[in-house]
Amino acid sequence: MLARSIFIGKVCQNSVGFNKFLPSNIVLSVPALCSNPIRNGSFRSSEPVGDIAQFPEVEVIKNAPEWKYVERLLAPRVVPTPEVKVEYPSGWKPPQPKPDLKYFVARTKNHMLPVYLHRTFRGQRILTTVRRIDGDIWQLEAELRYLLEKRLKKSIVTRVNEMNGQIELKGDFVTIVEEFLLEKGL
């Protein structure tokens, strides 16, 4: 019955002759539902602004003393460089100076290795993607494939995208690839 009364209210608000939509067994005594006017969504149905002099004056202050409290809450515009430590609690290692390799894997703006795991087709297809590769991408792909095939003792399917600087490996090898890149000093 509650659903019918809500429906009656919607019909009553949206149409003038709502009696023809109702079943014959429902008795109507809902004049309060029909008393609310309908507001259109157009800006033309709004009241005009009127005289601007009625609104208070606004003063723009630069470098207000209260602004220092607001700045503490805002996110930094640039990711700060991490402090130099011997060892970090999370196991993260900072990027080393450019090693003497024919390829280079650049870190992300958050100083992380660009190695990602992608699951598609409801978890049936699992890909490990290495991005931001510069230089000889084919040598890096050969070294990664050799490492994984030696460690897992089975062949690995890879795909190299030279234009985007990406390598895709079929399977979940994120930790192995990250360890390999950290050993290389990337």
Side-chain angles (χ1 to χ4, degrees):
M1 190 65 185
L2 178 64
R4 285 188 177 174
S5 64
I6 291 172
F7 175 74
I8 292 169
K10 293 288 184 189
V11 170
C12 182
Q13 287 179 355
N14 293 333
S15 64
V16 177
F18 62 89
N19 287 333
K20 61 184 175 185
F21 297 113
L22 298 177
S24 60
N25 60 353
I26 296 179
V27 178
L28 289 179
S29 61
V30 283
L33 292 175
C34 297
S35 63
N36 294 337
I38 299 172
R39 183 179 188 316
N40 296 328
S42 173
F43 70 93
R44 291 187 182 100
S45 65
S46 310
E47 295 180 15
V49 174
D51 187 23
I52 297 179
Q54 68 182 354
F55 297 111
E57 289 290 322
V58 177
E59 181 182 351
V60 178
I61 300 174
K62 294 190 178 195
N63 297 329
E66 295 88 14
W67 183 248
K68 64 182 178 182
Y69 299 110
V70 176
E71 283 181 334
R72 292 188 316 188
L73 301 174
L74 297 176
R77 291 179 184 247
V78 179
V79 177
T81 56
E83 299 176 17
V84 179
K85 296 181 182 178
V86 176
E87 199 170 305
Y88 293 89
S90 64
W92 177 81
K93 294 181 181 176
Q96 303 297 325
K98 233 177 179 180
D100 294 332
L101 298 171
K102 292 185 178 180
Y103 55 85
F104 180 73
V105 179
R107 297 280 181 114
T108 63
K109 67 178 181 177
N110 294 325
H111 311 289
M112 301 298 288
L113 286 170
V115 181
Y116 305 100
L117 181 69
H118 298 288
R119 292 177 183 261
T120 55
F121 300 114
R122 297 183 182 179
Q124 297 290 323
R125 182 178 181 205
I126 300 172
L127 295 174
T128 302
T129 306
V130 183
R131 295 182 182 163
R132 304 182 65 150
I133 303 170
D134 291 330
D136 192 0
I137 193 169
W138 296 101
Q139 182 180 356
L140 176 61
E141 184 266 339
E143 290 180 10
L144 285 173
R145 190 169 6 97
Y146 176 76
L147 170 76
L148 293 171
E149 287 176 353
K150 183 179 175 187
R151 190 179 280 191
L152 301 174
K153 296 183 172 75
K154 66 177 187 176
S155 63
I156 302 297
V157 178
T158 62
R159 181 168 69 180
V160 177
N161 189 343
E162 255 185 311
M163 297 300 290
N164 292 343
Q166 296 181 2
I167 297 174
E168 290 182 350
L169 309 160
K170 190 172 181 182
D172 184 0
F173 308 117
V174 174
T175 54
I176 299 171
V177 172
E178 284 180 345
E179 289 173 3
F180 171 77
L181 294 176
L182 289 174
E183 286 175 9
K184 292 284 187 176
L186 299 172

